[in-house]
Amino acid sequence: MTGRFAGKWVWITGASSGIGEASARAFAREGAKVVLSARRREELERVAKSLGSTEVRVEPLDQGQLETIDAVAARVLDATGGIDVMMHNAGISQRSRAIDTKLSVDERIMRVNYLGPVALTKALLPSMVRRRAGHFVVVSSLVGVFGTPLRSSYSASKHALHGFFDSLRAEHHEDGLRVTIVCPGFVRTEVSRNALTGDGSPHATMDEAIDRGISADECAEGVLDATAREREEALVGGRERLAVYLKRFAPPVFSRLIRRAKVT
Ligand code: NDP
């Protein structure tokens, strides 16, 4: 098998849909063996079938159920002999103002988007350090770099990933471990339909901006490229990426624009 990830085991969460599914195809095309995780087993089986002759392991996982993560990771490590790339991609978004959002919703978003990846990372770290190899690829968001209206908890959960994984990168560089944080802008997936409203029910709407976004395959190419180049951070998307530079170099202008932004 040839390709930039030939013979490597790549574990992808959120692989039953959108960016995770497209990334499974992209890594498999580059010769990787893949572990697919998310809650819906039947969707993971569908994705597995679409990967042809690639060696695939389907491992259902609800990453909000923190107490189950160690056992799943132990099973995966046993079956694969070690994970080379851990792509933390599973996540849920939000469509509600902080004032209208129940604390239970803040807690759920934080558990799925932040604590789940942290628990899974801690379960894999000892084996990666022992093997002196391992690459964490973390799917954050542009709102992991700045906050926008209607995304308070979601943005917080993505910012938290940056803090945790920036620290981890520094702690384990000498152990041969690498961390890549990918920040997508708008990507045409189910993300807005699955996003939580203030009472925890799904938004169930395809947002205009998401519908006009890049495809999941284009995003997956960005993920693959950033991983292969061992980039520390990568912005993937369209013109919305410019907001990162506006926030960095002209914060008052950014603030004026973002409070008027029509973010649904
Ligand atoms: P989708 O809603 O299409 O995919 C989300 C994936 O996460 C699904 O595979 C879902 O599978 C999985 N998932 C959700 N909750 C859990 C859970 N508790 N445990 C395990 N898996 C779970 O959206 P995207 O593909 O767009 O989202 C992927 C990532 O990209 C997310 O982290 C999102 O925040 C991020 N992102 C997306 C952007 C976009 O515009 N699309 C922009 C910026 C970031 P299942 O339901 O089977 O569990």
Side-chain angles (χ1 to χ4, degrees):
M1 181 58 88
T2 56
R4 285 181 284 177
F5 292 90
K8 303 280 187 204
W9 272 109
V10 178
W11 186 355
I12 303 171
T13 63
S16 60
S17 167
I19 296 169
E21 174 178 353
S23 299
R25 279 196 299 272
F27 277 109
R29 240 187 348 260
E30 291 286 345
K33 303 178 275 188
V34 292
V35 182
L36 306 177
S37 288
R39 289 165 303 178
R40 292 169 297 163
R41 176 185 281 278
E42 65 285 7
E43 288 302 309
L44 295 172
E45 302 282 3
R46 175 187 60 76
V47 176
K49 271 200 201 104
S50 75
L51 299 180
S53 60
T54 303
E55 197 172 334
V56 190
R57 190 177 167 83
V58 164
E59 198 63 60
L61 167 72
D62 181 341
Q63 67 178 35
Q65 308 268 324
L66 303 180
E67 63 288 355
T68 66
I69 288 178
D70 274 351
V72 176
R75 225 172 20 243
V76 168
L77 286 175
D78 198 40
T80 59
I83 290 297
D84 298 291
V85 177
M86 176 69 241
M87 180 174 168
H88 288 302
N89 165 73
I92 34 172
S93 192
Q94 176 192 13
R95 296 295 183 272
S96 55
R97 295 192 306 164
I99 194 172
D100 303 318
T101 304
K102 286 185 174 169
L103 192 59
S104 59
V105 174
D106 300 285
E107 195 186 359
R108 179 158 161 218
I109 290 174
M110 214 59 193
R111 183 136 22 87
V112 172
N113 292 3
Y114 173 65
L115 290 174
V118 167
L120 190 45
T121 297
K122 285 174 187 257
L124 296 183
L125 267 176
S127 84
M128 287 183 170
V129 169
R130 233 179 359 258
R131 299 167 72 219
R132 299 194 61 75
H135 193 154
F136 291 101
V137 177
V138 183
V139 179
S140 171
S141 165
L142 291 185
V143 303
V145 186
F146 54 78
T148 69
L150 308 182
R151 305 282 193 281
S152 52
S153 313
Y154 178 65
S155 176
S157 70
K158 296 297 189 182
H159 275 73
L161 287 172
H162 284 251
F164 181 87
F165 281 100
D166 282 347
S167 294
L168 195 90
R169 182 193 292 117
E171 287 172 1
H172 289 289
H173 184 85
E174 297 307 319
D175 294 323
L177 272 51
R178 298 293 176 262
V179 172
T180 296
I181 302 180
V182 180
C183 304
F186 299 121
V187 187
R188 207 161 49 254
T189 67
E190 295 300 302
V191 71
S192 68
R193 286 201 180 96
N194 293 331
L196 302 183
T197 61
D199 64 6
S201 61
H203 178 56
T205 304
M206 175 56 102
D207 290 349
E208 233 178 275
I210 296 293
D211 202 26
R212 282 199 312 264
I214 62 169
S215 70
D217 286 325
E218 285 172 283
C219 182
E221 280 311 314
V223 170
L224 196 75
D225 184 66
T227 310
R229 292 170 187 230
E230 298 189 352
R231 288 184 59 187
E232 293 195 354
E233 203 166 297
L235 309 178
V236 178
R239 284 176 50 215
E240 66 277 11
R241 286 173 299 169
L242 296 176
V244 170
Y245 303 103
L246 198 61
K247 163 84 176 166
R248 190 173 304 159
F249 298 115
V253 179
F254 171 85
S255 282
R256 266 200 307 279
L257 288 176
I258 208 68
R259 64 181 175 243
R260 281 193 240 126
K262 198 180 158 295
V263 198
T264 44

mmCIF file of all heavy atoms in Angstrom, residues 40-68:
data_model
loop_
_atom_site.group_PDB
_atom_site.id
_atom_site.type_symbol
_atom_site.label_atom_id
_atom_site.label_comp_id
_atom_site.label_asym_id
_atom_site.label_seq_id
_atom_site.Cartn_x
_atom_site.Cartn_y
_atom_site.Cartn_z
ATOM 1 N N ARG A 40 -23.790 6.175 16.076
ATOM 2 C CA ARG A 40 -24.668 5.342 15.238
ATOM 3 C C ARG A 40 -23.900 4.260 14.486
ATOM 4 O O ARG A 40 -23.270 4.515 13.452
ATOM 5 C CB ARG A 40 -25.411 6.233 14.227
ATOM 6 C CG ARG A 40 -26.437 7.161 14.882
ATOM 7 C CD ARG A 40 -26.930 8.190 13.915
ATOM 8 N NE ARG A 40 -25.834 9.061 13.464
ATOM 9 C CZ ARG A 40 -25.886 9.834 12.389
ATOM 10 N NH1 ARG A 40 -26.960 9.842 11.631
ATOM 11 N NH2 ARG A 40 -24.861 10.593 12.059
ATOM 12 N N ARG A 41 -23.984 3.013 14.992
ATOM 13 C CA ARG A 41 -23.248 1.899 14.405
ATOM 14 C C ARG A 41 -23.596 1.692 12.924
ATOM 15 O O ARG A 41 -22.719 1.496 12.091
ATOM 16 C CB ARG A 41 -23.534 0.602 15.189
ATOM 17 C CG ARG A 41 -22.866 -0.612 14.570
ATOM 18 C CD ARG A 41 -23.250 -1.887 15.262
ATOM 19 N NE ARG A 41 -22.532 -2.104 16.505
ATOM 20 C CZ ARG A 41 -21.296 -2.608 16.594
ATOM 21 N NH1 ARG A 41 -20.626 -2.914 15.493
ATOM 22 N NH2 ARG A 41 -20.725 -2.791 17.757
ATOM 23 N N GLU A 42 -24.902 1.782 12.582
ATOM 24 C CA GLU A 42 -25.305 1.474 11.202
ATOM 25 C C GLU A 42 -24.687 2.465 10.208
ATOM 26 O O GLU A 42 -24.309 2.102 9.086
ATOM 27 C CB GLU A 42 -26.841 1.358 11.064
ATOM 28 C CG GLU A 42 -27.666 2.616 11.311
ATOM 29 C CD GLU A 42 -27.790 3.009 12.804
ATOM 30 O OE1 GLU A 42 -27.151 2.408 13.696
ATOM 31 O OE2 GLU A 42 -28.544 3.958 13.059
ATOM 32 N N GLU A 43 -24.565 3.725 10.617
ATOM 33 C CA GLU A 43 -23.941 4.724 9.738
ATOM 34 C C GLU A 43 -22.438 4.465 9.618
ATOM 35 O O GLU A 43 -21.839 4.661 8.557
ATOM 36 C CB GLU A 43 -24.197 6.135 10.268
ATOM 37 C CG GLU A 43 -25.631 6.604 10.107
ATOM 38 C CD GLU A 43 -26.079 6.580 8.644
ATOM 39 O OE1 GLU A 43 -25.365 7.138 7.797
ATOM 40 O OE2 GLU A 43 -27.138 5.985 8.361
ATOM 41 N N LEU A 44 -21.830 4.012 10.697
ATOM 42 C CA LEU A 44 -20.390 3.691 10.646
ATOM 43 C C LEU A 44 -20.159 2.505 9.717
ATOM 44 O O LEU A 44 -19.187 2.481 8.944
ATOM 45 C CB LEU A 44 -19.860 3.371 12.055
ATOM 46 C CG LEU A 44 -19.876 4.534 13.052
ATOM 47 C CD1 LEU A 44 -19.512 4.039 14.451
ATOM 48 C CD2 LEU A 44 -18.912 5.644 12.620
ATOM 49 N N GLU A 45 -21.077 1.516 9.768
ATOM 50 C CA GLU A 45 -20.962 0.332 8.886
ATOM 51 C C GLU A 45 -21.083 0.770 7.420
ATOM 52 O O GLU A 45 -20.378 0.281 6.551
ATOM 53 C CB GLU A 45 -22.054 -0.703 9.193
ATOM 54 C CG GLU A 45 -22.078 -1.227 10.625
ATOM 55 C CD GLU A 45 -20.997 -2.272 10.911
ATOM 56 O OE1 GLU A 45 -20.190 -2.552 10.008
ATOM 57 O OE2 GLU A 45 -20.965 -2.768 12.060
ATOM 58 N N ARG A 46 -21.996 1.733 7.177
ATOM 59 C CA ARG A 46 -22.164 2.250 5.813
ATOM 60 C C ARG A 46 -20.865 2.895 5.327
ATOM 61 O O ARG A 46 -20.394 2.611 4.218
ATOM 62 C CB ARG A 46 -23.310 3.284 5.794
ATOM 63 C CG ARG A 46 -23.500 3.984 4.449
ATOM 64 C CD ARG A 46 -24.533 5.109 4.526
ATOM 65 N NE ARG A 46 -24.196 6.168 5.471
ATOM 66 C CZ ARG A 46 -23.286 7.118 5.247
ATOM 67 N NH1 ARG A 46 -22.640 7.159 4.100
ATOM 68 N NH2 ARG A 46 -23.034 8.038 6.171
ATOM 69 N N VAL A 47 -20.254 3.717 6.170
ATOM 70 C CA VAL A 47 -19.003 4.387 5.793
ATOM 71 C C VAL A 47 -17.913 3.327 5.592
ATOM 72 O O VAL A 47 -17.165 3.368 4.615
ATOM 73 C CB VAL A 47 -18.580 5.418 6.870
ATOM 74 C CG1 VAL A 47 -17.225 6.032 6.525
ATOM 75 C CG2 VAL A 47 -19.644 6.499 7.013
ATOM 76 N N ALA A 48 -17.855 2.348 6.487
ATOM 77 C CA ALA A 48 -16.831 1.294 6.384
ATOM 78 C C ALA A 48 -16.936 0.593 5.040
ATOM 79 O O ALA A 48 -15.922 0.371 4.356
ATOM 80 C CB ALA A 48 -16.991 0.297 7.531
ATOM 81 N N LYS A 49 -18.163 0.270 4.633
ATOM 82 C CA LYS A 49 -18.368 -0.434 3.345
ATOM 83 C C LYS A 49 -17.869 0.402 2.182
ATOM 84 O O LYS A 49 -17.330 -0.117 1.208
ATOM 85 C CB LYS A 49 -19.862 -0.726 3.144
ATOM 86 C CG LYS A 49 -20.271 -2.053 3.728
ATOM 87 C CD LYS A 49 -21.584 -2.528 3.085
ATOM 88 C CE LYS A 49 -22.221 -3.538 4.008
ATOM 89 N NZ LYS A 49 -23.361 -2.997 4.770
ATOM 90 N N SER A 50 -18.055 1.730 2.293
ATOM 91 C CA SER A 50 -17.680 2.611 1.179
ATOM 92 C C SER A 50 -16.162 2.718 1.017
ATOM 93 O O SER A 50 -15.679 3.278 0.039
ATOM 94 C CB SER A 50 -18.280 4.012 1.389
ATOM 95 O OG SER A 50 -17.537 4.694 2.385
ATOM 96 N N LEU A 51 -15.394 2.180 1.985
ATOM 97 C CA LEU A 51 -13.935 2.328 1.926
ATOM 98 C C LEU A 51 -13.246 1.180 1.195
ATOM 99 O O LEU A 51 -12.020 1.107 1.167
ATOM 100 C CB LEU A 51 -13.364 2.473 3.346
ATOM 101 C CG LEU A 51 -13.870 3.677 4.135
ATOM 102 C CD1 LEU A 51 -13.247 3.727 5.524
ATOM 103 C CD2 LEU A 51 -13.590 4.981 3.394
ATOM 104 N N GLY A 52 -14.043 0.272 0.626
ATOM 105 C CA GLY A 52 -13.482 -0.801 -0.214
ATOM 106 C C GLY A 52 -12.581 -1.726 0.561
ATOM 107 O O GLY A 52 -12.970 -2.272 1.603
ATOM 108 N N SER A 53 -11.334 -1.891 0.081
ATOM 109 C CA SER A 53 -10.450 -2.904 0.658
ATOM 110 C C SER A 53 -9.652 -2.406 1.863
ATOM 111 O O SER A 53 -8.843 -3.133 2.429
ATOM 112 C CB SER A 53 -9.476 -3.393 -0.423
ATOM 113 O OG SER A 53 -8.729 -2.281 -0.858
ATOM 114 N N THR A 54 -9.887 -1.164 2.249
ATOM 115 C CA THR A 54 -9.166 -0.606 3.408
ATOM 116 C C THR A 54 -9.443 -1.432 4.665
ATOM 117 O O THR A 54 -10.570 -1.880 4.876
ATOM 118 C CB THR A 54 -9.664 0.836 3.666
ATOM 119 O OG1 THR A 54 -9.470 1.587 2.485
ATOM 120 C CG2 THR A 54 -8.930 1.495 4.812
ATOM 121 N N GLU A 55 -8.409 -1.642 5.495
ATOM 122 C CA GLU A 55 -8.637 -2.303 6.782
ATOM 123 C C GLU A 55 -9.368 -1.330 7.711
ATOM 124 O O GLU A 55 -8.876 -0.241 7.992
ATOM 125 C CB GLU A 55 -7.293 -2.726 7.382
ATOM 126 C CG GLU A 55 -7.452 -3.747 8.480
ATOM 127 C CD GLU A 55 -6.101 -4.306 8.951
ATOM 128 O OE1 GLU A 55 -5.124 -4.309 8.167
ATOM 129 O OE2 GLU A 55 -6.055 -4.727 10.113
ATOM 130 N N VAL A 56 -10.562 -1.725 8.149
ATOM 131 C CA VAL A 56 -11.406 -0.817 8.931
ATOM 132 C C VAL A 56 -11.885 -1.507 10.198
ATOM 133 O O VAL A 56 -12.231 -2.691 10.173
ATOM 134 C CB VAL A 56 -12.695 -0.416 8.164
ATOM 135 C CG1 VAL A 56 -13.420 0.718 8.893
ATOM 136 C CG2 VAL A 56 -12.427 -0.019 6.753
ATOM 137 N N ARG A 57 -11.957 -0.745 11.268
ATOM 138 C CA ARG A 57 -12.559 -1.236 12.496
ATOM 139 C C ARG A 57 -13.646 -0.252 12.917
ATOM 140 O O ARG A 57 -13.398 0.960 13.001
ATOM 141 C CB ARG A 57 -11.468 -1.327 13.564
ATOM 142 C CG ARG A 57 -11.891 -2.031 14.782
ATOM 143 C CD ARG A 57 -10.796 -2.180 15.799
ATOM 144 N NE ARG A 57 -11.440 -2.595 17.036
ATOM 145 C CZ ARG A 57 -11.763 -3.835 17.323
ATOM 146 N NH1 ARG A 57 -11.451 -4.811 16.511
ATOM 147 N NH2 ARG A 57 -12.400 -4.128 18.450
ATOM 148 N N VAL A 58 -14.861 -0.768 13.117
ATOM 149 C CA VAL A 58 -15.970 0.076 13.560
ATOM 150 C C VAL A 58 -16.076 -0.027 15.075
ATOM 151 O O VAL A 58 -16.162 -1.123 15.620
ATOM 152 C CB VAL A 58 -17.286 -0.370 12.875
ATOM 153 C CG1 VAL A 58 -18.498 0.212 13.581
ATOM 154 C CG2 VAL A 58 -17.280 0.035 11.405
ATOM 155 N N GLU A 59 -16.029 1.105 15.737
ATOM 156 C CA GLU A 59 -16.021 1.094 17.206
ATOM 157 C C GLU A 59 -16.986 2.166 17.716
ATOM 158 O O GLU A 59 -16.597 3.315 17.931
ATOM 159 C CB GLU A 59 -14.585 1.377 17.671
ATOM 160 C CG GLU A 59 -14.271 1.006 19.070
ATOM 161 C CD GLU A 59 -14.385 -0.482 19.368
ATOM 162 O OE1 GLU A 59 -13.677 -1.293 18.739
ATOM 163 O OE2 GLU A 59 -15.189 -0.807 20.251
ATOM 164 N N PRO A 60 -18.272 1.807 17.891
ATOM 165 C CA PRO A 60 -19.238 2.809 18.353
ATOM 166 C C PRO A 60 -18.827 3.403 19.698
ATOM 167 O O PRO A 60 -18.264 2.694 20.543
ATOM 168 C CB PRO A 60 -20.538 2.014 18.498
ATOM 169 C CG PRO A 60 -20.362 0.842 17.602
ATOM 170 C CD PRO A 60 -18.904 0.502 17.650
ATOM 171 N N LEU A 61 -19.091 4.684 19.842
ATOM 172 C CA LEU A 61 -18.656 5.401 21.040
ATOM 173 C C LEU A 61 -19.521 6.647 21.219
ATOM 174 O O LEU A 61 -19.719 7.391 20.265
ATOM 175 C CB LEU A 61 -17.181 5.819 20.845
ATOM 176 C CG LEU A 61 -16.591 6.842 21.808
ATOM 177 C CD1 LEU A 61 -16.375 6.215 23.181
ATOM 178 C CD2 LEU A 61 -15.252 7.371 21.284
ATOM 179 N N ASP A 62 -20.029 6.834 22.428
ATOM 180 C CA ASP A 62 -20.666 8.111 22.765
ATOM 181 C C ASP A 62 -19.663 8.869 23.615
ATOM 182 O O ASP A 62 -19.446 8.530 24.784
ATOM 183 C CB ASP A 62 -21.970 7.877 23.533
ATOM 184 C CG ASP A 62 -22.664 9.198 23.861
ATOM 185 O OD1 ASP A 62 -21.998 10.259 23.828
ATOM 186 O OD2 ASP A 62 -23.867 9.173 24.161
ATOM 187 N N GLN A 63 -19.054 9.888 23.054
ATOM 188 C CA GLN A 63 -17.956 10.506 23.807
ATOM 189 C C GLN A 63 -18.427 11.460 24.907
ATOM 190 O O GLN A 63 -17.620 12.004 25.642
ATOM 191 C CB GLN A 63 -16.911 11.123 22.893
ATOM 192 C CG GLN A 63 -17.328 12.300 22.094
ATOM 193 C CD GLN A 63 -16.149 12.811 21.277
ATOM 194 O OE1 GLN A 63 -15.316 12.044 20.810
ATOM 195 N NE2 GLN A 63 -16.070 14.113 21.098
ATOM 196 N N GLY A 64 -19.745 11.567 25.044
ATOM 197 C CA GLY A 64 -20.271 12.258 26.215
ATOM 198 C C GLY A 64 -20.328 11.331 27.430
ATOM 199 O O GLY A 64 -20.467 11.779 28.559
ATOM 200 N N GLN A 65 -20.242 10.036 27.196
ATOM 201 C CA GLN A 65 -20.259 9.036 28.287
ATOM 202 C C GLN A 65 -18.809 8.768 28.691
ATOM 203 O O GLN A 65 -18.197 7.775 28.279
ATOM 204 C CB GLN A 65 -20.889 7.726 27.806
ATOM 205 C CG GLN A 65 -22.241 7.881 27.161
ATOM 206 C CD GLN A 65 -23.356 7.728 28.183
ATOM 207 O OE1 GLN A 65 -23.259 6.940 29.105
ATOM 208 N NE2 GLN A 65 -24.397 8.507 28.019
ATOM 209 N N LEU A 66 -18.288 9.677 29.500
ATOM 210 C CA LEU A 66 -16.846 9.660 29.783
ATOM 211 C C LEU A 66 -16.377 8.354 30.405
ATOM 212 O O LEU A 66 -15.265 7.889 30.146
ATOM 213 C CB LEU A 66 -16.487 10.829 30.707
ATOM 214 C CG LEU A 66 -16.866 12.222 30.187
ATOM 215 C CD1 LEU A 66 -16.465 13.292 31.188
ATOM 216 C CD2 LEU A 66 -16.228 12.485 28.834
ATOM 217 N N GLU A 67 -17.236 7.726 31.206
ATOM 218 C CA GLU A 67 -16.824 6.531 31.944
ATOM 219 C C GLU A 67 -16.632 5.323 31.017
ATOM 220 O O GLU A 67 -16.069 4.322 31.440
ATOM 221 C CB GLU A 67 -17.814 6.219 33.084
ATOM 222 C CG GLU A 67 -19.239 5.878 32.682
ATOM 223 C CD GLU A 67 -20.061 7.072 32.154
ATOM 224 O OE1 GLU A 67 -19.584 8.219 32.178
ATOM 225 O OE2 GLU A 67 -21.188 6.816 31.689
ATOM 226 N N THR A 68 -17.100 5.405 29.768
ATOM 227 C CA THR A 68 -16.973 4.256 28.854
ATOM 228 C C THR A 68 -15.708 4.348 27.991
ATOM 229 O O THR A 68 -15.351 3.397 27.297
ATOM 230 C CB THR A 68 -18.183 4.185 27.886
ATOM 231 O OG1 THR A 68 -18.147 5.346 27.025
ATOM 232 C CG2 THR A 68 -19.507 4.159 28.633
#
